[in-house]
């Protein structure tokens, strides 16, 4: 058992009177910064070895050692570091960091125990057809703390305010000649509470300042002929990353987010899928590839043949690459923080470190090879729509937990973060599950 689960006595308390005397004598040589560092270390160890929810129990044992150690529990700096380390949260939304930590602990516990509120969001206008009278469908979803964005096959992005679940705005890309029915289809969204960035299959990238009445600004004009189709797009506060298919040797495009300058083009990951990349412009096909940010410096990409980790800081250098003997189901791949989930054609899901690709655990996914499946993950749970239901697994141990009871019909896109699950069905209804602590 890890040190995070050790009894209080092993940390200097709970023994006979002589031990208590030694503990009191030692209090003067255990400065608060040292105890804070120890608490952070113990909580992190519990999180990694047992699970994120175990960190709270480990902290409780630390704080019971003596009154001096208990006093450390009032340090807001400690709770800030704990919230960042355990829950990967850097923004304070509540009054104190201690309250912030408790909120995300309770929310993760709600995920574990199937406690949520369910709602649907209504698209505006309620028109399911594009200019050519073709039925539109959702291709991408994105979440931030207060917003949800949905990107559609005709190029529009609808933005919702989560606290009220109301539609705020609909954004359209700049007009240009189309190279196919779906050339304007949204292929990726980067969303914060102040900015929305969306990309389309033709390679155009648009930027929106949330709350500003100005129309979307085109930050990059795509070049399908020379680059291929932009099949997936992601980013962070430092980089934008695009995954392309159609032209050999140009799989990865990396931009500096601040300057919007294209700093790297290269990579052969999608070369085997080049033909499918061109077909994406004119027809609905299987998903060619996905790319996700894992840290500020790294991204991980997936095709049916290969997992690949690239270094964004150093011109797209390949850090790790791992071929799949059985083939991967790209629609079920996702990565969050330092972890990824990949499912092979036999339905074996592998949870791996997103930087070194070392396996953490695995579980079986019945029906994974069906057409139309989609999946996503957050820091502790994987969700997959298979066989008309959304199933939930614990990725720390690979245990199947439950299925969401609401029936949604066919799902085109799904996403989750540490609080919400959102899915858009084929009738253009957005389903929203809120696991947030009340």
């Amino acid at each position: 058992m890890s040190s995070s689960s050790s009894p209080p006595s092993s940390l200097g308390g709970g023994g006979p009177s002589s031990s208590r005397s030694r503990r009191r004598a030692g209090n003067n040589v255990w400065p608060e910064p040292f105890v804070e560092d120890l608490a952070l270390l113990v909580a992190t160890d519990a999180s990694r070895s047992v699970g994120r929810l175990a960190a709270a129990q480990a902290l409780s044992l630390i704080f019971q050692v003596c009154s001096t150690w208990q006093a450390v529990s009032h340090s807001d700096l400690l709770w800030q570091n704990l919230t960042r380390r355990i829950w990967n949260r850097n923004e304070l939304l509540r009054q104190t960091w201690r309250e912030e930590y408790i909120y995300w602990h309770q929310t993760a516990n709600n995920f574990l125990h199937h406690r949520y509120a369910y709602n649907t969001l209504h698209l505006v206008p309620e028109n399911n057809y594009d200019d050519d009278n073709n039925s539109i469908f959702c291709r991408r979803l994105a979440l931030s703390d207060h917003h949800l964005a949905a990107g559609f096959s005709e190029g529009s992005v609808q933005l919702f305010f989560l606290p009220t679940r109301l539609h705020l705005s609909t954004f359209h890309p700049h007009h240009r000649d189309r190279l196919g029915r779906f050339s304007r289809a949204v292929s990726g969204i980067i969303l914060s509470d102040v900015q929305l960035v969306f990309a389309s299959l033709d390679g155009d990238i648009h930027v929106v300042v949330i709350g500003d009445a100005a129309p979307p600004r085109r930050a990059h004009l795509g070049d399908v002929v020379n680059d291929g189709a932009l099949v997936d797009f992601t980013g962070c506060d430092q980089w934008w990353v695009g995954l392309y298919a159609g032209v050999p040797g140009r799989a990865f495009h990396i931009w500096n987010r601040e300057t919007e300058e294209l700093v790297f083009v290269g990579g052969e990951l999608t070369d085997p899928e080049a033909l499918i990349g061109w077909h994406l412009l004119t027809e609905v096909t299987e998903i060619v590839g996905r790319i996700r940010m894992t840290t500020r410096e790294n991204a991980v990409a997936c095709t049916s043949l290969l997992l690949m980790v690239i270094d964004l800081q150093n011109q797209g250098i390949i850090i790790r690459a791992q071929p799949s003997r059985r083939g991967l189901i790209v629609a079920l791949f996702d990565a969050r923080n330092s972890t990824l989930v990949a499912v092979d054609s036999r339905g074996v899901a592998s949870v791996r470190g997103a930087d070194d690709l070392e396996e953490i655990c695995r579980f079986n996914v019945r029906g994974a090879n069906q057409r139309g499946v989609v999946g996503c993950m957050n820091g502790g749970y994987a969700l997959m729509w298979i066989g008309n239901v959304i199933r939930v697994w614990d990725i720390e141990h690979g245990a199947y937990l439950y299925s969401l009871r609401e029936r949604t019909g066919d799902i085109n896109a799904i996403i989750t973060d540490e609080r919400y699950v959102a899915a858009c069905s084929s009738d253009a209804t957005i389903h929203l599950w809120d696991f947030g602590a009340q």
Side-chain angles (χ1 to χ4, degrees):
M1 184 175 292
S2 70
S3 60
S4 62
S5 299
S6 300
S9 59
S10 67
L11 297 175
S17 59
S18 58
S19 298
R20 291 196 295 270
S21 298
R22 286 196 298 270
R23 184 190 66 199
R24 287 196 299 270
N27 282 343
N28 294 329
V29 296
W30 291 74
E32 287 191 6
F34 175 87
V35 180
E36 288 185 20
D37 289 344
L38 178 63
L40 182 62
L41 178 65
V42 170
T44 302
D45 177 68
S47 174
R48 291 174 177 172
S49 59
V50 182
R52 298 180 303 170
L53 292 172
Q57 183 179 8
L59 289 168
S60 176
L61 295 177
I62 285 285
F63 299 150
Q64 291 178 36
V65 170
C66 64
S67 59
T68 302
W69 287 33
Q70 185 181 35
V72 171
S73 67
H74 301 294
S75 167
D76 210 41
L77 178 61
L78 171 62
W79 291 107
Q80 180 180 9
N81 291 330
L82 286 166
T83 304
R84 289 174 172 174
R85 186 76 61 87
I86 306 300
W87 304 113
N88 200 45
R89 296 287 308 183
N90 296 306
E91 184 175 353
L92 181 64
L93 300 179
R94 274 144 278 277
Q95 291 187 345
T96 68
W97 281 104
R98 180 177 180 274
E99 292 178 12
E100 194 75 24
Y101 183 96
I102 291 172
Y103 176 86
W104 294 111
H105 174 93
Q106 292 175 339
T107 298
N109 197 49
N110 287 346
F111 257 102
L112 178 65
H113 294 290
H114 200 186
R115 293 192 290 261
Y116 58 80
Y118 169 77
N119 289 279
T120 57
L121 306 184
H122 301 287
L123 301 178
V124 178
E126 297 181 5
N127 183 357
N128 293 343
Y129 297 91
D130 61 18
D131 295 338
D132 299 323
N133 206 36
N134 295 312
S135 177
I136 69 170
F137 56 92
C138 182
R139 288 181 47 87
R140 294 292 188 274
L141 292 168
L143 286 164
S144 66
D145 286 330
H146 297 106
H147 295 89
L148 180 145
F152 292 88
S153 56
E154 95 305 4
S156 70
V157 176
Q158 296 204 18
L159 183 67
F160 297 84
F161 188 55
L162 287 171
T164 62
R165 299 185 295 280
L166 295 178
H167 173 269
L168 294 180
S169 301
T170 298
F171 305 103
H172 297 274
H174 289 202
H175 288 288
R176 61 177 296 187
D177 292 338
R178 287 192 290 177
L179 296 177
R181 173 185 170 188
F182 296 118
S183 62
R184 290 191 300 178
V186 175
S187 57
I189 302 173
I190 305 168
L191 181 64
S192 70
D193 285 324
V194 296
Q195 187 183 72
L196 183 154
V197 183
F198 65 97
S200 50
L201 278 173
D202 59 14
D204 282 5
I205 300 174
H206 291 82
V207 178
V208 174
V209 177
I210 296 176
D212 194 329
R217 173 178 60 85
R218 184 158 58 193
H220 178 75
L221 179 64
D223 184 354
V224 177
V225 174
N226 291 311
D227 292 330
L230 175 50
V231 299
D232 203 10
F233 178 75
T234 188
C236 63
D237 59 359
Q238 189 172 358
W239 308 103
W240 295 343
V241 189
L243 181 65
Y244 288 73
V247 178
R250 300 180 71 84
F252 299 113
H253 287 49
I254 303 173
W255 290 264
N256 180 299
R257 187 207 66 84
E258 185 174 347
T259 65
E260 299 177 1
E261 176 188 3
L262 183 63
V263 297
F264 174 79
V265 177
E268 302 174 351
L269 175 65
T270 56
D271 285 7
E273 287 84 8
L275 183 60
I276 301 176
W278 292 112
H279 281 290
L280 284 171
L281 299 170
T282 58
E283 60 189 85
V284 179
T285 71
E286 60 187 272
I287 298 177
V288 171
R290 280 186 171 178
I291 188 163
R292 297 288 184 267
M293 299 294 303
T294 57
T295 66
R296 286 170 56 89
E297 292 80 26
N298 295 346
V300 59
C302 172
T303 67
S304 62
L305 303 175
L306 193 67
L307 287 173
M308 181 178 290
V309 183
I310 62 170
D311 186 337
L312 305 178
Q313 189 76 41
N314 293 297
Q315 302 297 305
I317 291 176
I318 299 173
I319 299 175
R320 296 281 188 280
Q322 183 167 309
S324 173
R325 292 178 297 174
R326 298 174 177 173
L328 298 172
I329 303 172
V330 179
L332 295 179
F333 168 83
D334 202 4
R336 181 65 61 95
N337 304 330
S338 60
T339 310
L340 67 82
V341 174
V343 183
D344 67 25
S345 60
R346 295 189 181 182
V348 177
S350 178
V351 181
R352 296 178 178 272
D355 292 333
D356 57 17
L357 300 184
E358 292 295 323
E359 186 170 87
I360 299 170
C361 66
R362 60 172 54 189
F363 55 89
N364 292 319
V365 181
R366 289 186 297 106
N369 57 358
Q370 299 177 26
R371 292 183 61 84
V373 297
V374 288
C376 60
M377 66 177 291
N378 60 22
Y381 307 96
L383 296 93
M384 302 181 193
W385 180 82
I386 299 172
N388 294 319
V389 295
I390 297 174
R391 307 177 196 168
V392 183
W393 285 266
D394 164 23
I395 63 170
E396 292 168 338
H397 307 97
Y400 170 75
L401 298 177
Y402 54 84
S403 297
L404 297 180
R405 55 182 170 268
E406 290 75 19
R407 298 298 174 178
T408 60
D410 291 343
I411 293 295
N412 296 319
I414 187 171
I415 194 169
T416 185
D417 61 10
E418 301 306 316
R419 174 174 176 176
Y420 295 102
V421 175
C424 193
S425 51
S426 57
D427 62 357
T429 298
I430 297 178
H431 306 262
L432 184 69
W433 295 264
D434 183 0
F435 291 80
Q438 302 300 319

